[in-house]
C-alpha cells in the first residue's frame, strides 16, 4: 500500500491509499466481492434510460456526492487486518507517503495524518451503529410489491461506509503510532503545486525554494489550491486512476465551504426590509 496526501486548500488535505502489487487483488474478502458485485449492478442501472432504476441511480449519485470527502479518503485505506491477511510481512517495514514538499512541511505531515486518523473515529462509530440498528425497522417496506426497499439499502450502505472509514482510520492511526510512515516529497507533485501556490499566494515568487514556498502556504489564510482539471493530472502523476474522482469531490466540497454566501441575496433582503420600514 502507498499513501498520498493531497492538499486541496492551504489548510485541508485529502488522504488516499493505493494498493501496490498485483498479488493483493488475488485474495479478496466476502465483503469486497459483494461490493464489487453491487458496483457492477449499479453501473448497469446507470445505462437504463428511464424507470425507477434511472431515478434511483440519479438520487444515489447525488447522495454519494454529499458524503464528506474525508470519509471517502479513509475508505480507500483497507483495514489493518485485511492488509495483513494479504501481505504477511506487512508491519515490518515502512509505508511510503507521497506529498508535495512545497505545500506541506515534512515535520507537519505526521500531525496532519494523526488528525485525519483520529478526528472522525467517534463520528463513524456512532453513525455506523445507528445505521445498522435502524435498518431492520425499514423491513416492512419490502412487503410493498415492485417498489424496492430503498431506506433499508441506504441505511445498510451508510453503515458499511462508516465501517470502512472507521477501519481505515484505525489502520492509519496504527501506522502513525508505530512510526511506520516514510514521507517522500514527490517531484511530480512539487511541480504541480509550485504553479498552484504561485497563482494563489501573491507574496510567493517563482524563484522561491520549496521551503520558502511552504512557509508562505502555512502563513496564508485557507484558500483553494487545486482546480477541477487538476484531479486527472494528480491521477496521472501518481498512477492512481481512482484518485481523480476523490480529488474532484474534495475540490467541490472544500470550495463550497470556503465560498462566502451570495452577497446579492443579502442585499435583496436588506432592500426588502428597508421598504417595509418606509411603508
Amino acid at each position: 500500500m502507498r499513501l498520498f496526501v493531497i492538499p486541496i486548500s492551504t489548510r485541508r488535505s485529502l488522504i488516499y491509499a493505493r494498493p501496490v502489487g498485483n498479488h493483493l487483488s488475488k485474495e479478496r474478502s466476502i465483503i469486497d466481492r459483494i461490493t464489487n458485485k453491487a458496483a457492477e449492478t449499479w453501473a448497469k442501472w446507470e445505462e437504463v434510460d428511464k424507470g425507477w432504476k434511472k431515478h434511483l441511480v440519479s438520487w444515489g449519485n447525488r447522495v454519494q456526492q454529499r458524503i464528506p470527502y474525508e470519509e471517502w479518503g479513509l475508505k480507500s485505506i483497507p483495514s489493518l487486518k485485511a492488509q495483513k491477511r494479504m501481505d504477511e510481512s506487512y508491519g515490518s517495514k515502512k509505508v511510503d507517503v507521497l506529498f508535495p514538499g512545497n505545500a506541506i512541511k515534512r515535520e507537519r505531515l505526521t500531525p496532519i495524518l494523526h488528525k485525519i486518523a483520529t478526528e472522525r473515529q467517534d463520528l463513524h462509530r456512532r453513525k455506523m451503529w445507528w445505521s445498522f440498528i435502524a435498518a431492520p425497522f425499514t423491513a416492512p417496506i419490502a412487503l410493498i410489491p415492485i417498489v424496492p426497499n430503498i431506506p433499508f439499502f441506504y441505511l445498510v450502505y451508510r453503515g458499511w461506509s462508516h465501517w470502512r472509514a472507521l477501519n481505515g482510520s484505525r489502520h492509519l492511526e496504527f501506522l502513525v503510532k508505530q512510526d511506520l510512515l516514510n514521507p517522500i516529497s514527490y517531484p511530480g507533485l512539487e511541480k504541480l503545486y509550485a504553479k498552484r501556490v504561485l497563482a494563489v499566494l501573491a507574496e510567493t515568487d517563482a524563484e522561491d525554494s520549496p521551503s520558502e514556498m511552504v512557509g508562505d502556504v502555512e502563513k496564508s489564510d485557507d484558500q483553494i489550491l487545486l482546480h477541477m482539471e487538476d484531479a486527472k493530472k494528480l491521477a496521472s502523476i501518481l498512477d492512481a486512476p481512482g484518485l481523480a474522482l476523490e480529488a474532484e469531490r474534495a475540490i467541490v466540497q472544500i470550495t463550497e465551504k470556503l465560498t462566502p454566501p451570495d452577497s446579492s441575496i443579502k442585499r435583496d433582503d436588506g432592500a426588502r426590509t428597508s421598504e417595509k420600514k418606509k411603508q
Side-chain angles (χ1 to χ4, degrees):
M1 181 182 71
R2 175 170 287 177
L3 293 173
F4 307 134
V5 179
I6 308 298
I8 304 298
S9 73
T10 54
R11 291 288 179 273
R12 312 182 199 209
S13 298
L14 169 70
I15 184 75
Y16 185 81
R18 189 198 70 184
V20 177
N22 296 327
H23 68 283
L24 296 182
S25 63
K26 294 179 180 178
E27 184 178 346
R28 297 182 300 174
S29 68
I30 295 176
I31 293 179
D32 290 332
R33 295 191 184 100
I34 294 174
T35 302
N36 290 337
K37 182 62 177 179
E40 292 174 3
T41 302
W42 192 262
K44 291 179 181 178
W45 286 6
E46 286 183 323
E47 298 175 359
V48 177
D49 294 329
K50 57 183 179 179
W52 66 266
K53 292 181 180 179
K54 183 68 174 180
H55 291 297
L56 179 59
V57 166
S58 179
W59 171 80
N61 287 336
R62 289 197 299 271
V63 169
Q64 291 190 71
Q65 287 301 320
R66 289 199 294 269
I67 295 175
Y69 74 92
E70 297 98 330
E71 182 175 329
W72 287 103
L74 290 172
K75 283 166 57 177
S76 72
I77 305 174
S79 70
L80 179 59
K81 182 179 179 180
Q83 190 69 25
K84 287 184 175 180
R85 185 179 66 246
M86 293 185 291
D87 182 3
E88 294 180 357
S89 65
Y90 188 78
S92 61
K93 54 186 177 181
K94 294 194 174 186
V95 174
D96 291 341
V97 183
L98 275 57
F99 72 103
N102 50 358
I104 299 178
K105 284 185 177 180
R106 181 181 294 268
E107 56 267 30
R108 288 284 301 143
L109 192 63
T110 298
I112 288 172
L113 289 174
H114 182 265
K115 181 180 179 181
I116 291 174
T118 58
E119 68 177 348
R120 295 176 61 87
Q121 282 191 13
D122 289 341
L123 180 146
H124 290 309
R125 186 183 299 105
R126 185 173 66 253
K127 293 288 186 71
M128 175 190 72
W129 285 116
W130 184 91
S131 297
F132 286 145
I133 291 173
F137 291 97
T138 66
I141 299 177
L143 299 176
I144 302 176
I146 301 176
V147 179
N149 191 347
I150 296 176
F152 173 81
F153 290 111
Y154 171 75
L155 288 171
V156 170
Y157 169 74
R158 292 302 291 131
W160 168 83
S161 182
H162 286 297
W163 174 77
R164 281 289 299 267
L166 179 60
N167 281 327
S169 68
R170 288 170 173 169
H171 185 174
L172 182 58
E173 184 181 13
F174 167 81
L175 295 175
V176 172
K177 288 185 175 180
Q178 298 299 316
D179 192 24
L180 289 173
L181 298 174
N182 178 36
I184 300 174
S185 184
Y186 195 63
L189 290 177
E190 287 186 348
K191 184 177 180 180
L192 173 63
Y193 276 90
K195 297 177 182 178
R196 295 297 172 255
V197 171
L198 284 172
V200 171
L201 304 182
E203 64 271 21
T204 301
D205 189 88
E207 301 298 323
D208 287 351
S209 65
S211 60
E212 293 173 322
M213 192 171 289
V214 73
D216 292 337
V217 171
E218 291 224 327
K219 291 184 292 184
S220 73
D221 296 329
D222 198 2
Q223 301 180 61
I224 285 289
L225 288 175
L226 298 183
H227 307 302
M228 288 296 286
E229 60 267 24
D230 292 327
K232 291 183 178 179
K233 293 179 182 178
L234 286 168
S236 177
I237 291 170
L238 297 171
D239 191 23
L243 175 59
L245 179 59
E246 305 306 334
E248 288 176 355
R249 184 182 289 111
I251 291 169
V252 169
Q253 292 183 6
I254 294 176
T255 300
E256 289 177 351
K257 290 179 181 178
L258 297 180
T259 302
D262 191 347
S263 56
S264 64
I265 294 177
K266 291 184 177 180
R267 287 196 298 270
D268 290 343
D269 291 342
R272 284 194 291 269
T273 302
S274 61
E275 288 177 4
K276 287 182 180 179
K277 289 181 179 180
K278 290 179 181 179
Q279 293 175 353

